[in-house]
Amino acid sequence: MDTDLVMTLGQETLKTTLLLAAPLLIASLVVGLVVSIFQAVTQINEATLSFIPKMAAVAVVLIVAAPWMLDLISTFTTHLYENIAFYVRN
């Protein structure tokens, strides 16, 4: 394996990881921000208040995005397995 191949595989892996994690992280960030604004407006100082809404938002996003995420990771894994001979040879 030469350096360019390793760098390309690393970049594709990081891109796939970012694409898989982004919807869940963005949903958690948005819900956390909304709950924090609600807490600031109402002066409720409860640290655990945002936990359940974040969990619910991540669950909903996971259910909605699961087919796309599964397709993405399946395509990536299939691409790796199909080209394993090329990777080993270089």
Coordinates of all heavy atoms in Angstrom, one line a residue:
M1 N 0.8 -1.2 0.0 CA 0.0 0.0 0.0 C 0.9 1.2 0.0 O 1.7 1.4 0.9 CB -0.9 0.0 1.2 CG -2.1 -0.9 1.2 SD -3.0 -0.6 2.7 CE -4.6 -0.5 2.0
D2 N 0.6 2.1 -0.9 CA 1.4 3.3 -1.0 C 0.7 4.4 -0.1 O -0.4 4.2 0.3 CB 1.7 3.8 -2.4 CG 0.4 4.1 -3.2 OD1 -0.6 3.7 -2.7 OD2 0.5 4.7 -4.2
T3 N 1.4 5.5 0.0 CA 0.8 6.6 0.9 C -0.4 7.2 0.4 O -1.3 7.5 1.1 CB 1.9 7.7 1.1 OG1 3.2 7.0 1.4 CG2 1.5 8.7 2.1
D4 N -0.5 7.4 -0.9 CA -1.7 8.0 -1.5 C -2.9 7.1 -1.3 O -4.0 7.6 -1.0 CB -1.5 8.2 -3.0 CG -0.5 9.2 -3.3 OD1 -0.3 10.1 -2.5 OD2 0.2 9.2 -4.4
L5 N -2.8 5.8 -1.4 CA -3.9 4.9 -1.2 C -4.4 4.9 0.2 O -5.6 5.0 0.5 CB -3.5 3.5 -1.6 CG -4.6 2.4 -1.5 CD1 -5.8 2.8 -2.4 CD2 -4.1 1.1 -1.8
V6 N -3.4 5.0 1.2 CA -3.8 5.0 2.6 C -4.5 6.3 2.9 O -5.5 6.4 3.6 CB -2.5 4.8 3.5 CG1 -2.8 5.1 4.9 CG2 -1.9 3.4 3.3
M7 N -4.0 7.4 2.4 CA -4.6 8.7 2.6 C -6.0 8.8 2.0 O -6.9 9.3 2.6 CB -3.8 9.8 2.0 CG -2.4 10.1 2.7 SD -2.7 10.6 4.4 CE -3.3 12.2 4.2
T8 N -6.2 8.2 0.8 CA -7.5 8.2 0.2 C -8.5 7.4 1.0 O -9.6 7.8 1.2 CB -7.4 7.6 -1.2 OG1 -6.5 8.4 -2.0 CG2 -8.8 7.7 -1.9
L9 N -8.1 6.2 1.5 CA -8.9 5.3 2.3 C -9.3 6.0 3.6 O -10.4 6.0 4.1 CB -8.2 4.0 2.6 CG -8.3 3.0 1.5 CD1 -7.5 1.7 1.9 CD2 -9.7 2.6 1.2
G10 N -8.3 6.7 4.2 CA -8.5 7.4 5.4 C -9.5 8.6 5.2 O -10.4 8.8 6.1
Q11 N -9.4 9.3 4.1 CA -10.3 10.4 3.9 C -11.7 9.9 3.6 O -12.7 10.5 4.1 CB -9.8 11.2 2.6 CG -8.6 12.0 2.9 CD -8.1 12.7 1.6 OE1 -8.5 12.4 0.5 NE2 -7.2 13.6 1.8
E12 N -11.9 8.8 2.9 CA -13.2 8.2 2.6 C -13.8 7.7 3.9 O -15.0 7.8 4.1 CB -13.1 7.1 1.6 CG -12.8 7.6 0.2 CD -14.0 8.5 -0.3 OE1 -15.1 8.2 -0.1 OE2 -13.6 9.5 -0.9
T13 N -13.0 7.1 4.8 CA -13.5 6.6 6.0 C -14.0 7.8 6.9 O -15.1 7.7 7.5 CB -12.4 5.8 6.8 OG1 -12.0 4.7 5.9 CG2 -12.9 5.2 8.1
L14 N -13.2 8.8 7.0 CA -13.6 10.0 7.8 C -14.8 10.7 7.2 O -15.7 11.1 8.0 CB -12.5 11.0 7.9 CG -11.3 10.5 8.8 CD1 -10.2 11.5 8.8 CD2 -11.8 10.3 10.2
K15 N -14.9 10.7 5.9 CA -16.1 11.3 5.3 C -17.4 10.5 5.6 O -18.4 11.1 5.9 CB -15.9 11.4 3.8 CG -17.0 12.2 3.0 CD -16.7 12.3 1.6 CE -17.5 11.3 0.8 NZ -17.4 11.4 -0.6
T16 N -17.2 9.2 5.5 CA -18.4 8.3 5.8 C -18.8 8.4 7.2 O -20.0 8.5 7.5 CB -18.0 6.9 5.4 OG1 -17.6 6.8 4.0 CG2 -19.2 5.9 5.7
T17 N -17.8 8.5 8.1 CA -18.1 8.6 9.5 C -18.8 9.9 9.8 O -19.8 10.0 10.6 CB -16.8 8.5 10.4 OG1 -16.2 7.3 10.1 CG2 -17.1 8.6 11.8
L18 N -18.3 11.0 9.2 CA -18.9 12.3 9.4 C -20.4 12.3 8.9 O -21.3 12.8 9.5 CB -18.1 13.4 8.7 CG -18.6 14.8 8.8 CD1 -18.5 15.3 10.3 CD2 -17.8 15.7 8.0
L19 N -20.6 11.7 7.7 CA -21.9 11.7 7.2 C -22.9 10.8 8.0 O -24.1 11.2 8.1 CB -21.9 11.1 5.7 CG -21.3 12.1 4.7 CD1 -21.2 11.3 3.3 CD2 -22.2 13.3 4.5
L20 N -22.4 9.8 8.6 CA -23.2 9.0 9.5 C -23.5 9.6 10.8 O -24.6 9.5 11.3 CB -22.5 7.6 9.8 CG -22.5 6.6 8.6 CD1 -21.6 5.4 9.0 CD2 -23.9 6.2 8.2
A21 N -22.6 10.4 11.4 CA -22.8 11.0 12.7 C -23.5 12.3 12.6 O -24.1 12.7 13.6 CB -21.4 11.1 13.4
A22 N -23.4 13.0 11.5 CA -23.9 14.4 11.4 C -25.3 14.6 11.8 O -25.7 15.5 12.5 CB -23.5 15.0 10.1
P23 N -26.2 13.8 11.2 CA -27.7 14.0 11.5 C -28.0 13.8 13.0 O -28.8 14.6 13.5 CB -28.4 12.9 10.7 CG -27.4 12.5 9.6 CD -26.1 12.7 10.2
L24 N -27.4 12.8 13.6 CA -27.7 12.6 15.0 C -27.1 13.8 15.9 O -27.7 14.3 16.8 CB -27.1 11.3 15.5 CG -27.6 10.1 14.7 CD1 -26.8 8.8 15.1 CD2 -29.0 9.9 14.9
L25 N -25.9 14.2 15.6 CA -25.2 15.3 16.3 C -25.9 16.6 16.1 O -26.1 17.4 17.1 CB -23.8 15.4 15.9 CG -22.9 14.2 16.3 CD1 -21.5 14.3 15.8 CD2 -22.9 14.0 17.8
I26 N -26.4 16.9 14.9 CA -27.1 18.1 14.6 C -28.4 18.2 15.4 O -28.8 19.2 15.9 CB -27.2 18.3 13.1 CG1 -25.9 18.6 12.5 CG2 -28.2 19.5 12.8 CD1 -25.8 18.7 11.0
A27 N -29.1 17.0 15.3 CA -30.4 17.0 16.1 C -30.2 17.2 17.6 O -31.0 18.0 18.2 CB -31.1 15.7 15.8
S28 N -29.2 16.6 18.1 CA -28.9 16.8 19.5 C -28.5 18.2 19.8 O -28.9 18.8 20.9 CB -27.8 15.8 19.9 OG -27.5 16.0 21.3
L29 N -27.7 18.8 19.0 CA -27.3 20.2 19.2 C -28.5 21.1 19.1 O -28.6 22.0 20.0 CB -26.3 20.6 18.1 CG -25.8 22.0 18.1 CD1 -24.9 22.2 19.3 CD2 -25.1 22.3 16.8
V30 N -29.4 21.0 18.1 CA -30.5 21.9 18.0 C -31.5 21.7 19.2 O -31.9 22.7 19.8 CB -31.3 21.6 16.7 CG1 -32.6 22.3 16.6 CG2 -30.4 22.0 15.5
V31 N -31.7 20.5 19.6 CA -32.6 20.3 20.8 C -32.0 20.9 22.0 O -32.7 21.5 22.8 CB -33.0 18.8 20.9 CG1 -33.7 18.6 22.2 CG2 -33.9 18.4 19.8
G32 N -30.7 20.6 22.2 CA -30.0 21.2 23.4 C -30.1 22.7 23.4 O -30.2 23.3 24.5
L33 N -29.9 23.3 22.2 CA -30.0 24.8 22.1 C -31.4 25.3 22.5 O -31.5 26.3 23.2 CB -29.6 25.2 20.8 CG -29.5 26.7 20.5 CD1 -28.4 27.4 21.4 CD2 -29.2 27.0 19.1
V34 N -32.4 24.7 22.0 CA -33.8 25.1 22.2 C -34.1 24.9 23.7 O -34.7 25.8 24.3 CB -34.8 24.3 21.4 CG1 -36.2 24.5 21.8 CG2 -34.6 24.6 19.9
V35 N -33.7 23.8 24.3 CA -33.9 23.6 25.7 C -33.2 24.6 26.6 O -33.7 25.1 27.6 CB -33.6 22.1 26.1 CG1 -33.6 22.0 27.6 CG2 -34.6 21.2 25.5
S36 N -31.9 24.9 26.2 CA -31.1 25.9 26.9 C -31.8 27.3 26.9 O -31.8 28.0 27.9 CB -29.7 26.0 26.4 OG -29.1 24.8 26.6
I37 N -32.3 27.6 25.7 CA -33.0 28.9 25.6 C -34.2 28.9 26.4 O -34.5 29.9 27.1 CB -33.3 29.2 24.1 CG1 -32.0 29.5 23.3 CG2 -34.3 30.4 24.0 CD1 -32.2 29.6 21.9
F38 N -35.0 27.8 26.4 CA -36.2 27.7 27.3 C -35.8 27.8 28.8 O -36.5 28.5 29.5 CB -36.9 26.4 27.0 CG -38.0 26.1 27.9 CD1 -39.2 26.8 27.8 CD2 -37.9 25.2 29.0 CE1 -40.3 26.5 28.7 CE2 -38.9 24.9 29.8 CZ -40.1 25.6 29.7
Q39 N -34.7 27.2 29.2 CA -34.3 27.3 30.6 C -33.8 28.7 30.9 O -34.1 29.2 32.0 CB -33.1 26.3 30.8 CG -33.5 24.9 30.9 CD -32.3 24.0 31.2 OE1 -31.2 24.2 30.7 NE2 -32.6 22.9 32.0
A40 N -33.2 29.4 30.0 CA -32.7 30.8 30.3 C -33.9 31.7 30.4 O -34.0 32.6 31.3 CB -31.8 31.2 29.2
V41 N -34.9 31.5 29.6 CA -36.1 32.4 29.6 C -36.9 32.1 30.9 O -37.4 33.1 31.5 CB -37.0 32.1 28.3 CG1 -38.3 32.8 28.5 CG2 -36.3 32.6 27.1
T42 N -37.1 30.9 31.3 CA -37.9 30.6 32.4 C -37.1 30.5 33.7 O -37.7 30.3 34.8 CB -38.6 29.2 32.2 OG1 -37.7 28.2 32.0 CG2 -39.6 29.3 31.0
Q43 N -35.8 30.6 33.6 CA -34.9 30.6 34.8 C -35.0 29.3 35.5 O -34.9 29.2 36.8 CB -35.1 31.8 35.7 CG -34.9 33.1 35.1 CD -35.1 34.3 36.0 OE1 -35.6 34.1 37.1 NE2 -34.7 35.4 35.6
I44 N -35.1 28.2 34.8 CA -35.1 26.9 35.4 C -33.7 26.4 35.3 O -33.1 26.3 34.2 CB -36.0 25.9 34.6 CG1 -37.5 26.3 34.7 CG2 -35.9 24.5 35.1 CD1 -38.4 25.5 33.8
N45 N -33.1 26.0 36.4 CA -31.7 25.6 36.4 C -31.6 24.1 36.7 O -31.1 23.7 37.8 CB -30.9 26.4 37.5 CG -30.7 27.8 37.1 OD1 -30.6 28.1 35.9 ND2 -30.7 28.7 38.1
E46 N -32.1 23.3 35.8 CA -32.1 21.9 36.0 C -31.2 21.3 34.9 O -31.4 21.4 33.7 CB -33.5 21.3 35.9 CG -33.6 19.8 36.0 CD -33.1 19.3 37.4 OE1 -33.3 20.0 38.4 OE2 -32.5 18.2 37.4
A47 N -30.1 20.7 35.3 CA -29.1 20.2 34.3 C -29.6 19.0 33.5 O -29.2 18.7 32.4 CB -27.8 19.8 35.1
T48 N -30.5 18.2 34.1 CA -30.9 17.0 33.5 C -32.2 17.2 32.6 O -32.7 16.3 32.0 CB -31.3 15.9 34.5 OG1 -32.3 16.4 35.4 CG2 -30.1 15.5 35.3
L49 N -32.6 18.4 32.5 CA -33.9 18.7 31.7 C -33.7 18.4 30.2 O -34.6 18.0 29.6 CB -34.3 20.1 31.9 CG -35.6 20.6 31.3 CD1 -36.8 19.8 31.8 CD2 -35.8 22.0 31.5
S50 N -32.5 18.6 29.7 CA -32.3 18.5 28.3 C -32.0 17.1 27.8 O -32.0 16.7 26.6 CB -31.2 19.4 27.8 OG -30.0 18.9 28.3
F51 N -31.8 16.2 28.8 CA -31.4 14.8 28.5 C -32.5 14.0 27.7 O -32.3 13.4 26.7 CB -31.1 14.0 29.7 CG -30.5 12.7 29.5 CD1 -29.3 12.5 28.9 CD2 -31.3 11.6 29.9 CE1 -28.8 11.2 28.6 CE2 -30.8 10.3 29.6 CZ -29.6 10.1 29.0
I52 N -33.7 14.0 28.2 CA -34.8 13.3 27.6 C -35.2 13.8 26.2 O -35.3 13.1 25.2 CB -36.1 13.2 28.5 CG1 -35.7 12.5 29.8 CG2 -37.3 12.5 27.8 CD1 -35.3 11.0 29.6
P53 N -35.4 15.1 26.0 CA -35.6 15.6 24.7 C -34.5 15.3 23.7 O -34.8 15.0 22.5 CB -35.8 17.2 24.9 CG -36.1 17.3 26.3 CD -35.5 16.2 27.0
K54 N -33.3 15.4 24.1 CA -32.2 15.0 23.2 C -32.3 13.5 22.8 O -32.1 13.2 21.6 CB -30.8 15.3 23.9 CG -30.4 16.7 23.9 CD -29.0 16.8 24.5 CE -28.5 18.2 24.6 NZ -27.2 18.3 25.2
M55 N -32.5 12.7 23.8 CA -32.7 11.3 23.5 C -33.8 11.0 22.5 O -33.7 10.2 21.6 CB -32.9 10.4 24.8 CG -31.6 10.0 25.4 SD -31.9 8.9 26.8 CE -33.5 8.2 26.7
A56 N -34.9 11.7 22.7 CA -36.1 11.5 21.8 C -35.8 12.0 20.4 O -36.1 11.4 19.4 CB -37.3 12.2 22.4
A57 N -35.1 13.2 20.3 CA -34.7 13.7 19.0 C -33.8 12.8 18.3 O -33.9 12.5 17.1 CB -34.1 15.1 19.1
V58 N -32.8 12.3 19.0 CA -31.8 11.4 18.3 C -32.5 10.1 17.9 O -32.2 9.6 16.8 CB -30.6 11.1 19.3 CG1 -29.8 9.9 18.8 CG2 -29.8 12.3 19.5
A59 N -33.4 9.6 18.7 CA -34.2 8.4 18.3 C -35.0 8.6 17.1 O -35.1 7.8 16.2 CB -35.1 7.9 19.5
V60 N -35.7 9.8 17.0 CA -36.5 10.1 15.8 C -35.6 10.2 14.6 O -36.0 9.6 13.5 CB -37.3 11.3 16.1 CG1 -38.0 11.9 14.8 CG2 -38.4 11.1 17.1
V61 N -34.5 10.9 14.7 CA -33.6 11.1 13.6 C -33.1 9.7 13.1 O -32.9 9.5 12.0 CB -32.5 12.1 13.9 CG1 -31.5 12.1 12.8 CG2 -33.1 13.5 14.0
L62 N -32.7 8.9 14.1 CA -32.2 7.6 13.8 C -33.2 6.7 13.0 O -32.9 6.1 12.1 CB -31.7 6.9 15.1 CG -31.0 5.6 14.9 CD1 -29.7 5.8 14.1 CD2 -30.7 5.0 16.2
I63 N -34.5 6.8 13.5 CA -35.5 6.0 12.8 C -35.7 6.5 11.4 O -35.9 5.8 10.4 CB -36.8 6.1 13.6 CG1 -36.6 5.2 14.9 CG2 -38.0 5.6 12.8 CD1 -37.8 5.4 15.9
V64 N -35.7 7.9 11.2 CA -36.0 8.5 9.9 C -34.8 8.2 9.0 O -35.0 7.9 7.8 CB -36.3 10.0 10.1 CG1 -36.3 10.7 8.7 CG2 -37.6 10.2 10.8
A65 N -33.6 8.4 9.5 CA -32.4 8.4 8.6 C -31.8 7.0 8.5 O -30.8 6.8 7.8 CB -31.4 9.3 9.1
A66 N -32.3 6.0 9.2 CA -31.7 4.7 9.3 C -31.5 4.0 7.9 O -30.5 3.5 7.6 CB -32.5 3.7 10.2
P67 N -32.5 4.1 7.0 CA -32.3 3.5 5.7 C -31.2 4.1 4.9 O -30.4 3.4 4.3 CB -33.7 3.7 5.0 CG -34.7 3.9 6.1 CD -33.9 4.5 7.2
W68 N -31.1 5.5 5.0 CA -30.0 6.2 4.3 C -28.7 5.8 4.9 O -27.7 5.6 4.2 CB -30.2 7.7 4.3 CG -29.1 8.4 3.8 CD1 -28.7 8.6 2.6 CD2 -28.1 9.1 4.7 NE1 -27.6 9.4 2.5 CE2 -27.2 9.7 3.8 CE3 -28.0 9.3 6.0 CZ2 -26.1 10.4 4.3 CZ3 -26.9 10.0 6.5 CH2 -26.0 10.6 5.6
M69 N -28.6 5.8 6.2 CA -27.4 5.5 6.9 C -26.9 4.0 6.6 O -25.7 3.8 6.4 CB -27.5 5.7 8.4 CG -27.8 7.1 8.8 SD -28.3 7.3 10.5 CE -26.7 7.2 11.3
L70 N -27.9 3.1 6.6 CA -27.5 1.7 6.3 C -27.0 1.6 4.9 O -26.1 0.8 4.6 CB -28.8 0.8 6.5 CG -28.6 -0.7 6.4 CD1 -27.5 -1.1 7.4 CD2 -29.9 -1.4 6.6
D71 N -27.7 2.3 3.9 CA -27.2 2.3 2.5 C -25.8 2.8 2.4 O -25.0 2.3 1.7 CB -28.2 3.0 1.7 CG -27.8 3.0 0.2 OD1 -27.6 1.9 -0.3 OD2 -27.7 4.1 -0.4
L72 N -25.5 3.9 3.1 CA -24.2 4.5 3.0 C -23.1 3.6 3.6 O -22.1 3.4 2.9 CB -24.2 5.8 3.9 CG -23.0 6.7 3.8 CD1 -22.7 7.3 2.4 CD2 -23.0 7.8 4.9
I73 N -23.4 3.0 4.7 CA -22.3 2.1 5.3 C -22.2 0.8 4.5 O -21.1 0.3 4.3 CB -22.6 1.9 6.8 CG1 -21.3 1.3 7.5 CG2 -23.7 1.0 7.0 CD1 -20.2 2.2 7.6
S74 N -23.3 0.4 3.9 CA -23.3 -0.8 3.1 C -22.5 -0.6 1.8 O -21.7 -1.4 1.4 CB -24.7 -1.3 2.7 OG -25.3 -1.7 3.9
T75 N -22.7 0.6 1.2 CA -22.0 0.9 0.0 C -20.5 1.0 0.3 O -19.6 0.6 -0.5 CB -22.5 2.2 -0.6 OG1 -23.9 2.1 -0.8 CG2 -21.8 2.6 -1.9
F76 N -20.1 1.7 1.4 CA -18.7 1.9 1.7 C -18.1 0.5 2.0 O -17.0 0.2 1.5 CB -18.6 2.8 3.0 CG -17.2 3.0 3.5 CD1 -16.4 3.8 2.7 CD2 -16.8 2.3 4.6 CE1 -15.1 4.0 3.2 CE2 -15.5 2.5 5.0 CZ -14.6 3.4 4.3
T77 N -18.7 -0.3 2.8 CA -18.2 -1.7 3.1 C -18.1 -2.5 1.8 O -17.0 -3.2 1.6 CB -19.0 -2.4 4.1 OG1 -19.2 -1.5 5.3 CG2 -18.4 -3.7 4.5
T78 N -19.1 -2.5 1.0 CA -19.0 -3.3 -0.3 C -17.9 -2.8 -1.2 O -17.1 -3.6 -1.7 CB -20.4 -3.1 -1.0 OG1 -21.4 -3.6 -0.2 CG2 -20.3 -3.9 -2.3
H79 N -17.7 -1.5 -1.2 CA -16.6 -0.9 -2.0 C -15.2 -1.4 -1.5 O -14.3 -1.7 -2.2 CB -16.6 0.6 -2.0 CG -15.5 1.3 -2.7 ND1 -15.4 1.3 -4.0 CD2 -14.4 2.0 -2.2 CE1 -14.3 1.9 -4.4 NE2 -13.7 2.4 -3.3
L80 N -15.1 -1.4 -0.1 CA -13.8 -1.9 0.5 C -13.6 -3.4 0.1 O -12.5 -3.8 -0.2 CB -13.9 -1.7 2.0 CG -13.6 -0.3 2.5 CD1 -13.7 -0.4 4.0 CD2 -12.3 0.2 2.1
Y81 N -14.6 -4.2 0.3 CA -14.5 -5.6 0.0 C -14.2 -5.9 -1.5 O -13.5 -6.8 -1.8 CB -15.7 -6.4 0.5 CG -15.7 -6.7 2.0 CD1 -16.9 -6.6 2.7 CD2 -14.5 -7.0 2.7 CE1 -16.9 -6.8 4.1 CE2 -14.6 -7.2 4.0 CZ -15.7 -7.1 4.7 OH -15.8 -7.3 6.1
E82 N -14.9 -5.2 -2.3 CA -14.6 -5.4 -3.8 C -13.2 -5.0 -4.2 O -12.7 -5.6 -5.1 CB -15.7 -4.6 -4.6 CG -17.1 -5.2 -4.6 CD -18.1 -4.3 -5.3 OE1 -17.7 -3.2 -5.6 OE2 -19.2 -4.8 -5.4
N83 N -12.6 -4.1 -3.6 CA -11.3 -3.6 -4.0 C -10.2 -4.1 -3.1 O -9.1 -3.6 -3.1 CB -11.3 -2.1 -4.0 CG -12.2 -1.5 -5.1 OD1 -12.3 -2.1 -6.2 ND2 -13.0 -0.5 -4.8
I84 N -10.4 -5.1 -2.2 CA -9.4 -5.5 -1.3 C -8.2 -6.1 -2.0 O -7.1 -5.9 -1.6 CB -10.0 -6.5 -0.3 CG1 -9.1 -6.6 0.9 CG2 -10.3 -7.9 -0.9 CD1 -9.7 -7.3 2.1
A85 N -8.4 -6.8 -3.1 CA -7.3 -7.3 -3.9 C -6.4 -6.2 -4.4 O -5.2 -6.3 -4.4 CB -7.8 -8.2 -5.1
F86 N -7.0 -5.1 -4.9 CA -6.3 -4.0 -5.4 C -5.5 -3.3 -4.2 O -4.3 -2.9 -4.4 CB -7.2 -3.0 -6.0 CG -6.6 -1.7 -6.4 CD1 -5.8 -1.6 -7.5 CD2 -6.8 -0.5 -5.6 CE1 -5.2 -0.4 -7.9 CE2 -6.2 0.7 -6.0 CZ -5.4 0.7 -7.1
Y87 N -6.1 -3.2 -3.1 CA -5.4 -2.6 -1.9 C -4.2 -3.4 -1.5 O -3.2 -2.9 -1.1 CB -6.4 -2.4 -0.7 CG -7.6 -1.5 -1.0 CD1 -8.8 -1.8 -0.4 CD2 -7.5 -0.5 -1.9 CE1 -9.9 -0.9 -0.7 CE2 -8.6 0.3 -2.2 CZ -9.8 0.1 -1.5 OH -10.8 0.9 -1.8
V88 N -4.4 -4.7 -1.4 CA -3.3 -5.6 -1.0 C -2.2 -5.6 -2.0 O -1.0 -5.6 -1.7 CB -3.8 -7.0 -0.7 CG1 -2.7 -8.0 -0.5 CG2 -4.8 -7.0 0.4
R89 N -2.5 -5.6 -3.3 CA -1.5 -5.6 -4.3 C -0.7 -4.4 -4.3 O 0.5 -4.4 -4.7 CB -2.2 -5.8 -5.7 CG -1.4 -6.4 -6.7 CD -2.1 -6.8 -8.0 NE -3.4 -7.3 -7.7 CZ -4.5 -7.0 -8.4 NH1 -4.5 -6.2 -9.4 NH2 -5.7 -7.6 -8.1
N90 N -1.3 -3.3 -4.0 CA -0.5 -2.0 -4.0 C 0.1 -1.8 -2.7 O 0.6 -1.3 -2.0 CB -1.4 -0.8 -4.4 CG -1.7 -0.9 -5.9 OD1 -1.0 -1.4 -6.7 ND2 -2.9 -0.3 -6.2

